[in-house]
Amino acid sequence: MRIDVQFADRVGIAHEILAVLARRNMNVVAVEVDSSDVFIDIPQLTAELLPSLRQDFLGIAGVLNVVVVDVLPGARRRLHLDTLMAVMADPVMAVDAAGRIVAANAAAAAVTHLRESELDGKTLEELFGEAALQAELLAGNFLAPAREVRLHGEPFLLEVTPVAEALDSALGQTIGGVITLHAPRRLGGRLHALQHGGGGFDAIIGDAEPIRALKARAARVAVVDAPLLIVGETGTGKELVAQACHAASQRANAPFLALNCAALPESLAESELFGYMSGAFSGAQRGGKPGLIEMADGGTVFLDEIGEMSLYLQAKLLRFLNDGRFRRIGSDREIKVNVRIISATHRNLRKMVAEGAFREDLYYRLNVLQLEVPALRERPDDILLLARHFIERACAQAQKPICRLSAQACAALVANNWPGNVRQLQNVVFRAITMTDKRLLEETDLDLAEGAVRPVAHVERGAAAQAADDWENSVSQFERTLLEKLYPQYPSSRKLAVRLKTSHSMIANKLRKYGIPKGSGG
């Protein structure tokens, strides 16, 4: 049985408490003394003996109470620490001031191919085979930047944290440090968690026929483990589609890491994608650095604006796609990983191949599967749905009440050509929310935010203005008015679709819905 003898602190009281047990010839296996408690582990103590022992303790001046405890505090702390170390996925090792390992978790034993008991007492030099590493950590009192190390040929990012208690504050010595090792794939998983919310196809907002068709096709290609090329104009949401495909694939639990090929010069893009070794170039991080392909092992790498990639990098990417192998910059060692490549572009790659600006062999390796993301003007039914979503987000960020769009503002949004697609619509809404405090956004507020929104003065507004309080009625009234006005000039669904720069099927459905021309339908 384990007990806690609680007392008012005074000199010698702990000795008197233990003397009671000595007089009773009770064996004590553990004692922990706190400022106002003595915790004692007494195997011989039973529930029958406890009352008389409690009376003996209470007879000592200053003893306040005796209570039974399940475990001593020190043992509880050790159990929690052991469990904490065991469940940590990253290898962790505690070392003393001489650089010898005094504790390690199961993950550390796994990557070193040693049992935890065999790690005990090993030096960092023996473990990593780098005398300079141990010397640097000891000289810097375990204060050192992260660096790459290798265990059995596998790379790890090593981070060290000094133990806070100092042996000699004047000399600045510490009693050791804690070493944590991060595998590239684990780093990739953390980057993925920080950068992406993990949305699937539900994150793609829209109910128009083109977007429904895209989602259906994307759901089919997502589960096929082959390169995927996503094409579409700038601002259509190609990366969102790529994330959804990753989330629906068998790689969903592995990292999704992205590189914009147009955002970096060739040398930086190469190091970001393939990584580099220590000293590979001026300014290279000491110890080297894994690239996105290495960190995404088991997952997906998304190459945005692949059409901007240099011919040199195209050749290196093609080599990787052939057999899954690559070399870091400055290394002669090949690394093999299992990564799916999803690429995207707004450019005409077939035309670039004909002009010699893009490798034909790479084009066919990337274009095994293809998705085309429709432009916003091809899905006008989604414009107000997206606008409402962006209004809610913008108002939340600006800490404002939710705003509404007037009928004229709705008409202006639907009538606009949107060369910048969804991204442009988002910018228009965010700027409008920022520039006005009104609860009802008018067409002029959208013009103030971004002059690209086209006025719709030519559309009759009377009925739409009267229905401004009803979102669906406002949209329907605008559509009916617009189609009734333009149909006499373009008297077929195909001509009208060309005039409005949208799909023939969508216009045909709308004409049928509103009975245009008169008497032709419901």
Side-chain angles (χ1 to χ4, degrees):
M1 184 177 291
R2 303 171 186 90
I3 60 174
D4 172 15
V5 183
Q6 301 168 357
F7 59 86
D9 192 19
R10 66 174 175 82
V11 176
I13 192 169
H15 176 74
E16 295 177 31
I17 291 171
L18 295 177
V20 170
L21 298 173
R23 289 195 297 270
R24 285 173 166 259
N25 292 320
M26 286 186 167
N27 185 38
V28 174
V29 297
V31 177
E32 295 179 20
V33 181
D34 201 350
S35 59
S36 59
D37 299 84
V38 176
F39 298 93
I40 313 170
D41 189 348
I42 314 167
Q44 297 169 267
L45 183 59
T46 63
E48 291 75 16
L49 296 174
L50 180 60
S52 62
L53 182 62
R54 179 183 281 114
Q55 290 304 316
D56 288 350
F57 283 145
L58 292 174
I60 300 172
V63 172
L64 305 175
N65 197 8
V66 179
V67 297
V68 177
V69 295
D70 57 347
V71 64
L72 271 56
R76 186 193 304 278
R77 181 175 178 79
R78 285 192 299 274
L79 287 170
H80 281 100
L81 287 175
D82 288 345
T83 304
L84 181 64
M85 291 281 280
V87 300
M88 291 183 69
D90 289 321
V92 177
M93 295 169 285
V95 297
D96 62 17
R100 293 187 180 278
I101 297 171
V102 296
N105 66 351
V111 299
T112 58
H113 301 173
L114 297 169
R115 292 191 296 270
E116 292 178 49
S117 58
E118 293 174 327
L119 276 172
D120 193 19
K122 275 193 175 293
T123 64
L124 295 177
E125 179 181 351
E126 292 171 336
L127 188 62
F128 295 107
E130 292 187 44
L133 170 63
Q134 178 164 319
E136 179 185 344
L137 294 181
L138 296 183
N141 290 326
F142 296 93
L143 286 169
R147 58 177 295 170
E148 189 172 82
V149 295
R150 288 186 177 270
L151 277 172
H152 301 286
E154 296 298 320
F156 292 91
L157 181 68
L158 180 148
E159 291 184 336
V160 59
T161 304
V163 176
E165 290 286 338
L167 275 176
D168 188 334
S169 58
L171 296 176
Q173 295 177 335
T174 60
I175 61 173
V178 176
I179 304 290
T180 306
L181 302 177
H182 305 283
R185 180 173 177 177
R186 293 278 299 165
L187 291 173
R190 290 193 176 102
L191 282 174
H192 170 76
L194 288 172
Q195 295 174 359
H196 306 290
F201 291 113
D202 290 341
I204 302 174
I205 298 173
D207 290 320
E209 178 57 32
I211 209 69
R212 288 202 304 269
L214 171 67
K215 290 182 182 181
R217 180 174 172 81
R220 296 176 68 89
V221 304
V223 298
V224 181
D225 200 24
L228 168 64
L229 177 64
I230 303 174
V231 297
E233 296 179 9
T234 297
T236 51
K238 296 186 289 294
E239 182 169 356
L240 194 62
V241 174
Q243 291 178 22
C245 289
H246 170 78
S249 73
Q250 296 179 348
R251 300 174 181 266
N253 294 324
F256 173 95
L257 302 180
L259 176 71
N260 189 321
C261 301
L264 297 172
E266 178 185 279
S267 58
L268 285 180
E270 182 183 12
S271 64
E272 283 294 307
L273 193 57
F274 296 102
Y276 56 82
M277 299 301 293
S278 180
F281 51 85
S282 178
Q285 177 178 299
R286 185 173 184 179
K289 179 178 178 290
L292 295 182
I293 285 180
E294 193 172 348
M295 290 191 289
D297 190 15
T300 302
V301 170
F302 175 62
L303 301 177
D304 198 9
E305 299 300 346
I306 189 72
E308 308 300 326
M309 180 177 279
S310 69
L311 288 171
Y312 165 74
L313 275 185
Q314 289 178 34
K316 194 163 184 178
L317 178 61
L318 178 65
R319 167 79 169 82
F320 169 73
L321 288 171
N322 283 334
D323 57 11
R325 298 179 183 274
F326 69 97
R327 291 189 180 98
R328 289 188 185 182
I329 300 174
S331 173
D332 57 1
R333 174 179 173 270
E334 284 197 334
I335 301 172
K336 183 173 178 60
V337 295
N338 176 17
V339 168
R340 183 188 191 185
I341 298 294
I342 298 180
S343 52
T345 184
H346 72 283
R347 303 186 65 178
N348 187 335
L349 291 188
R350 191 180 294 276
K351 181 180 178 183
M352 291 180 66
V353 168
E355 295 171 348
F358 199 86
R359 293 183 63 108
E360 184 176 16
D361 45 7
L362 179 60
Y363 171 72
Y364 288 114
R365 290 306 301 266
L366 295 174
N367 194 26
V368 177
L369 302 170
Q370 187 182 109
L371 292 173
E372 183 172 357
V373 184
L376 185 57
R377 60 182 171 274
E378 296 172 7
R379 39 187 289 221
D381 289 355
D382 289 337
I383 290 176
L384 297 183
L385 185 65
L386 286 162
R388 184 185 300 174
H389 171 72
F390 292 139
I391 285 172
E392 290 176 356
R393 285 177 52 183
C395 288
Q397 288 188 15
Q399 298 183 341
K400 293 181 177 180
I402 299 296
C403 299
R404 292 189 302 111
L405 291 165
S406 70
Q408 290 76 24
C410 290
L413 290 177
V414 175
N416 192 54
N417 191 43
W418 299 114
N421 292 291
V422 179
R423 187 179 297 119
Q424 183 189 6
L425 173 61
Q426 181 179 12
N427 292 343
V428 166
V429 169
F430 270 62
R431 290 175 187 173
I433 296 298
T434 302
M435 298 294 288
T436 182
D437 293 324
K438 294 189 295 186
R439 297 289 299 276
L440 183 67
L441 296 179
E442 299 289 350
E443 178 185 348
T444 53
D445 297 317
L446 301 175
D447 287 340
L448 176 64
E450 183 163 301
V453 176
R454 194 170 61 211
V456 289
H458 62 283
V459 180
E460 296 177 7
R461 301 180 179 177
Q466 294 174 5
D469 290 336
D470 187 322
W471 184 285
E472 299 301 331
N473 286 342
S474 298
V475 175
S476 297
Q477 181 61 46
F478 167 74
E479 290 176 343
R480 180 191 294 272
T481 303
L482 182 64
L483 293 174
E484 286 177 345
K485 190 168 187 68
L486 292 178
Y487 187 80
Q489 304 170 45
Y490 306 91
S492 77
S493 58
R494 294 192 181 277
K495 292 179 181 179
L496 194 51
V498 172
R499 165 64 179 83
L500 293 174
K501 298 179 181 179
T502 188
S503 68
H504 159 256
S505 59
M506 193 275 287
I507 291 296
N509 289 336
K510 294 294 183 183
L511 292 174
R512 192 177 303 112
K513 175 182 177 181
Y514 298 118
I516 300 173
K518 296 297 185 182
S520 65

